Protein backbone atom coordinates (compact mmCIF):
# COMPACT_ATOMS: atom_id res chain seq x y z
CA UNK A 1 0.00 0.00 0.00
CA UNK A 2 1.08 3.54 -0.69
CA UNK A 3 2.09 5.56 2.33
CA UNK A 4 3.84 8.64 3.63
CA UNK A 5 6.58 8.23 6.22
CA UNK A 6 8.52 10.67 8.34
CA UNK A 7 11.82 10.19 10.07
CA UNK A 8 12.93 10.45 12.72
CA UNK A 9 9.82 10.20 14.91
CA UNK A 10 11.56 11.97 17.77
CA UNK A 11 14.59 14.25 17.75
CA UNK A 12 16.38 16.28 20.38
CA UNK A 13 18.90 18.81 19.15
CA UNK A 14 20.85 21.75 20.47
CA UNK A 15 20.29 25.39 19.65
CA UNK A 16 22.22 26.45 16.57
CA UNK A 17 22.55 23.03 14.99
CA UNK A 18 21.28 22.23 11.52
CA UNK A 19 18.55 19.60 11.50
CA UNK A 20 16.88 17.81 8.60
CA UNK A 21 13.55 16.03 8.88
CA UNK A 22 12.76 13.48 6.20
CA UNK A 23 9.46 12.92 4.42
CA UNK A 24 8.93 10.18 1.86
CA UNK A 25 5.71 9.33 0.05
CA UNK A 26 4.91 6.50 -2.31
CA UNK A 27 1.59 7.92 -3.57
CA UNK A 28 3.38 9.57 -6.52
CA UNK A 29 1.71 12.84 -5.52
CA UNK A 30 3.02 16.06 -6.98
CA UNK A 31 1.87 18.18 -4.04
CA UNK A 32 3.73 17.95 -0.73
CA UNK A 33 3.49 20.09 2.38
CA UNK A 34 5.20 20.64 5.72
CA UNK A 35 3.20 21.83 8.74
CA UNK A 36 4.04 22.46 12.35
CA UNK A 37 1.53 21.81 15.11
CA UNK A 38 1.56 23.90 18.26
CA UNK A 39 -0.97 24.18 21.04
CA UNK A 40 -3.34 27.03 20.36
CA UNK A 41 -2.23 27.43 16.76
CA UNK A 42 -3.40 24.26 15.09
CA UNK A 43 -1.43 23.39 11.97
CA UNK A 44 0.55 26.11 10.26
CA UNK A 45 2.05 25.73 6.81
CA UNK A 46 5.85 26.01 6.63
CA UNK A 47 6.72 25.17 3.01
CA UNK A 48 5.08 23.39 0.14
CA UNK A 49 5.91 22.01 -3.29
CA UNK A 50 3.79 21.41 -6.37
CA UNK A 51 6.38 19.25 -8.11
CA UNK A 52 10.04 18.51 -8.70
CA UNK A 53 12.22 21.61 -8.38
CA UNK A 54 9.25 23.65 -7.15
CA UNK A 55 9.23 25.03 -3.59
CA UNK A 56 7.16 27.77 -1.97
CA UNK A 57 7.04 29.53 1.37
CA UNK A 58 4.12 29.08 3.70
CA UNK A 59 2.97 31.28 6.55
CA UNK A 60 5.80 30.38 8.98
CA UNK A 61 8.78 29.73 6.70
CA UNK A 62 11.47 31.78 8.48
CA UNK A 63 14.34 29.56 9.61
CA UNK A 64 13.25 26.62 7.44
CA UNK A 65 14.07 25.43 3.93
CA UNK A 66 13.01 22.57 1.68
CA UNK A 67 14.22 21.02 -1.54
CA UNK A 68 12.42 18.81 -4.06
CA UNK A 69 14.81 16.79 -6.19
CA UNK A 70 12.35 13.97 -6.87
CA UNK A 71 8.64 13.27 -6.54
CA UNK A 72 8.87 11.09 -3.45
CA UNK A 73 10.84 13.26 -1.02
CA UNK A 74 10.52 16.69 0.57
CA UNK A 75 13.12 17.08 3.34
CA UNK A 76 12.70 19.97 5.75
CA UNK A 77 15.86 21.66 7.02
CA UNK A 78 16.18 23.90 10.04
CA UNK A 79 19.23 25.97 9.22
CA UNK A 80 20.07 26.91 12.80
CA UNK A 81 17.68 25.38 15.29
CA UNK A 82 16.04 27.68 17.82
CA UNK A 83 13.96 26.86 20.91
CA UNK A 84 10.95 28.44 19.18
CA UNK A 85 11.13 25.63 16.65
CA UNK A 86 10.34 23.01 19.28
CA UNK A 87 7.17 21.54 17.84
CA UNK A 88 5.55 18.56 16.18
CA UNK A 89 6.13 18.54 12.43
CA UNK A 90 3.82 16.90 9.92
CA UNK A 91 4.42 16.16 6.28
CA UNK A 92 1.50 15.68 3.91
CA UNK A 93 0.89 14.97 0.25
CA UNK A 94 -2.09 15.27 -2.06
CA UNK A 95 -2.93 14.45 -5.64
CA UNK A 96 -4.83 17.55 -6.66
CA UNK A 97 -7.19 20.28 -5.54
CA UNK A 98 -10.17 17.95 -5.11
CA UNK A 99 -8.52 15.25 -3.06
CA UNK A 100 -7.71 14.93 0.58
CA UNK A 101 -4.17 15.21 1.87
CA UNK A 102 -2.46 12.21 3.45
CA UNK A 103 -0.37 12.86 6.53
CA UNK A 104 2.68 11.25 8.00
CA UNK A 105 2.74 10.30 11.68
CA UNK A 106 4.75 13.34 12.66
CA UNK A 107 8.18 14.18 14.05
CA UNK A 108 8.45 15.56 17.55
CA UNK A 109 11.40 17.95 17.61
CA UNK A 110 12.83 19.40 20.79
CA UNK A 111 15.46 22.13 20.63
CA UNK A 112 17.40 22.56 23.87
CA UNK B 1 -5.84 34.04 1.69
CA UNK B 2 -8.11 31.28 2.89
CA UNK B 3 -8.75 30.83 6.61
CA UNK B 4 -10.76 28.69 8.99
CA UNK B 5 -12.25 29.42 12.39
CA UNK B 6 -13.16 26.77 14.94
CA UNK B 7 -14.66 28.85 17.73
CA UNK B 8 -14.68 26.30 20.53
CA UNK B 9 -11.49 24.92 22.05
CA UNK B 10 -13.21 21.90 23.58
CA UNK B 11 -16.53 20.19 23.09
CA UNK B 12 -17.86 17.94 25.84
CA UNK B 13 -20.69 15.55 25.08
CA UNK B 14 -22.25 12.58 26.82
CA UNK B 15 -21.97 9.22 25.11
CA UNK B 16 -25.01 8.61 22.93
CA UNK B 17 -25.81 12.29 22.52
CA UNK B 18 -25.45 14.19 19.25
CA UNK B 19 -22.05 15.70 18.57
CA UNK B 20 -21.47 18.95 16.68
CA UNK B 21 -18.12 20.56 15.96
CA UNK B 22 -18.35 24.02 14.42
CA UNK B 23 -16.33 25.43 11.53
CA UNK B 24 -16.57 28.63 9.52
CA UNK B 25 -14.32 29.55 6.63
CA UNK B 26 -13.19 32.40 4.41
CA UNK B 27 -12.07 32.04 0.79
CA UNK B 28 -12.09 34.23 -2.29
CA UNK B 29 -13.25 31.51 -4.66
CA UNK B 30 -15.26 28.33 -4.23
CA UNK B 31 -14.35 26.46 -1.06
CA UNK B 32 -12.99 22.93 -0.94
CA UNK B 33 -13.68 21.82 2.64
CA UNK B 34 -12.27 18.96 4.70
CA UNK B 35 -12.51 17.48 8.17
CA UNK B 36 -9.68 15.55 9.76
CA UNK B 37 -9.37 13.74 13.09
CA UNK B 38 -6.21 13.29 15.15
CA UNK B 39 -5.83 10.69 17.85
CA UNK B 40 -3.04 11.08 20.45
CA UNK B 41 0.49 10.77 19.03
CA UNK B 42 -0.85 10.13 15.54
CA UNK B 43 -1.03 11.97 12.26
CA UNK B 44 -4.23 13.44 10.86
CA UNK B 45 -6.79 11.11 9.35
CA UNK B 46 -9.24 12.22 6.69
CA UNK B 47 -12.95 12.08 7.65
CA UNK B 48 -14.87 13.72 4.84
CA UNK B 49 -14.87 16.49 2.26
CA UNK B 50 -17.12 18.85 0.36
CA UNK B 51 -16.13 19.78 -3.18
CA UNK B 52 -19.43 20.27 -4.97
CA UNK B 53 -22.94 18.81 -5.10
CA UNK B 54 -25.12 17.82 -2.16
CA UNK B 55 -24.62 20.11 0.83
CA UNK B 56 -24.77 17.17 3.23
CA UNK B 57 -21.75 14.94 2.96
CA UNK B 58 -21.21 11.65 4.77
CA UNK B 59 -17.86 10.34 5.83
CA UNK B 60 -16.04 7.80 7.92
CA UNK B 61 -17.11 6.46 11.35
CA UNK B 62 -20.68 7.78 11.02
CA UNK B 63 -19.70 11.44 10.71
CA UNK B 64 -21.40 13.89 8.39
CA UNK B 65 -21.06 17.58 7.66
CA UNK B 66 -23.31 20.21 6.18
CA UNK B 67 -22.03 22.88 3.81
CA UNK B 68 -23.84 26.20 4.22
CA UNK B 69 -22.69 28.75 1.69
CA UNK B 70 -24.67 31.70 3.05
CA UNK B 71 -23.25 31.19 6.53
CA UNK B 72 -19.82 30.08 5.24
CA UNK B 73 -19.99 27.12 7.59
CA UNK B 74 -19.14 23.44 7.44
CA UNK B 75 -20.12 21.96 10.80
CA UNK B 76 -19.24 18.36 11.60
CA UNK B 77 -21.95 16.19 13.14
CA UNK B 78 -22.55 12.74 14.49
CA UNK B 79 -25.99 11.61 15.67
CA UNK B 80 -24.74 9.49 18.57
CA UNK B 81 -21.27 10.02 20.01
CA UNK B 82 -19.02 7.20 21.17
CA UNK B 83 -16.27 7.36 23.78
CA UNK B 84 -13.88 6.36 20.99
CA UNK B 85 -14.76 9.62 19.17
CA UNK B 86 -12.75 11.52 21.77
CA UNK B 87 -10.00 13.16 19.71
CA UNK B 88 -8.83 16.40 18.15
CA UNK B 89 -10.82 17.52 15.11
CA UNK B 90 -9.57 19.89 12.44
CA UNK B 91 -11.49 21.72 9.76
CA UNK B 92 -9.53 22.74 6.65
CA UNK B 93 -10.21 24.69 3.46
CA UNK B 94 -8.65 25.10 0.05
CA UNK B 95 -9.45 28.05 -2.18
CA UNK B 96 -11.01 26.93 -5.47
CA UNK B 97 -9.11 29.65 -7.31
CA UNK B 98 -6.35 27.14 -7.91
CA UNK B 99 -4.38 27.56 -4.73
CA UNK B 100 -3.65 24.03 -3.52
CA UNK B 101 -2.69 25.16 -0.04
CA UNK B 102 -4.75 23.68 2.75
CA UNK B 103 -5.47 26.07 5.62
CA UNK B 104 -6.40 24.54 8.98
CA UNK B 105 -8.35 25.75 11.94
CA UNK B 106 -6.90 25.55 15.44
CA UNK B 107 -8.68 22.33 16.18
CA UNK B 108 -11.40 21.23 18.60
CA UNK B 109 -10.78 18.75 21.37
CA UNK B 110 -13.83 16.52 21.63
CA UNK B 111 -14.36 14.72 24.92
CA UNK B 112 -17.10 12.10 25.01
CA UNK B 113 -18.13 11.33 28.56
CA UNK B 114 -19.21 7.75 29.32
Amino acid sequence: DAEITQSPRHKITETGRQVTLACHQTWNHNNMFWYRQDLGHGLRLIHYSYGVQDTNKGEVSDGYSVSRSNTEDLPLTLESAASSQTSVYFCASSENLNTEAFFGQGTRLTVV
Amino acid sequence: AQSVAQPEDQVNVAEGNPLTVKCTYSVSGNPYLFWYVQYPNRGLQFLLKYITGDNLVKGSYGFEAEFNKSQTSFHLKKPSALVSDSALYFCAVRDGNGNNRLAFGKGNQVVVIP
Side-chain angles (χ1 to χ4, degrees):
Chain A
D1 287 344
E3 60 181 0
I4 179 166
T5 55
Q6 294 182 232
S7 61
R9 292 292 311 277
H10 302 271
K11 174 79 175 176
I12 300 175
T13 191
E14 294 178 342
T15 301
R17 289 193 178 268
Q18 185 181 78
V19 177
T20 296
L21 309 183
C23 174
H24 179 81
Q25 53 99 1
T26 58
W27 296 98
N28 201 34
H29 289 161
N30 284 324
N31 307 311
M32 295 185 73
F33 309 87
W34 272 105
Y35 292 88
R36 60 178 289 175
Q37 183 180 20
D38 304 286
L39 197 62
H41 292 280
L43 274 78
R44 292 181 291 176
L45 184 63
I46 306 172
H47 281 286
Y48 59 102
S49 168
Y50 290 155
V52 176
Q53 303 301 332
D54 176 74
T55 61
N56 305 279
K57 294 181 178 180
E59 57 182 312
V60 290
S61 60
D62 287 349
Y64 303 95
S65 64
V66 293
S67 61
R68 189 86 181 272
S69 59
N70 58 52
T71 300
E72 296 79 18
D73 299 289
L74 187 70
L76 177 71
T77 297
L78 286 68
E79 306 294 343
S80 176
S83 58
S84 60
Q85 294 177 308
T86 292
S87 185
V88 180
Y89 291 85
F90 287 100
C91 179
S93 71
S94 69
E95 183 177 5
N96 57 45
L97 197 64
N98 295 341
T99 59
E100 62 271 26
F102 293 89
F103 282 79
Q105 292 205 316
T107 294
R108 183 175 296 276
L109 177 69
T110 303
V111 183
V112 297
Chain B
Q2 61 268 45
S3 66
V4 170
Q6 294 182 246
E8 301 162 315
D9 289 336
Q10 182 164 315
V11 175
N12 296 325
V13 60
E15 186 177 23
N17 281 4
L19 169 63
T20 299
V21 188
K22 296 179 180 177
C23 170
T24 58
Y25 65 89
S26 173
V27 295
S28 58
N30 291 323
Y32 291 64
L33 294 154
F34 303 81
W35 275 102
Y36 289 84
V37 61
Q38 184 182 31
Y39 298 101
N41 300 314
R42 302 292 299 274
L44 277 69
Q45 297 177 31
F46 169 73
L47 277 179
L48 51 77
K49 64 182 177 183
Y50 171 83
I51 305 299
T52 187
D54 195 348
N55 289 344
L56 183 65
V57 294
K58 295 186 183 296
S60 307
Y61 312 121
F63 283 94
E64 58 188 29
E66 186 165 12
F67 170 64
N68 187 317
K69 188 173 183 178
S70 63
Q71 297 186 4
T72 62
S73 68
F74 189 56
H75 301 330
L76 181 70
K77 300 180 181 182
K78 186 171 184 180
S80 178
L82 302 173
V83 172
S84 57
D85 293 328
S86 298
L88 191 57
Y89 291 81
F90 289 96
C91 182
V93 67
R94 281 199 189 109
D95 192 327
N97 279 341
N99 184 338
N100 206 351
R101 296 164 53 177
L102 197 59
F104 284 84
K106 293 183 179 181
N108 281 120
Q109 183 68 49
V110 169
V111 177
V112 181
I113 303 163

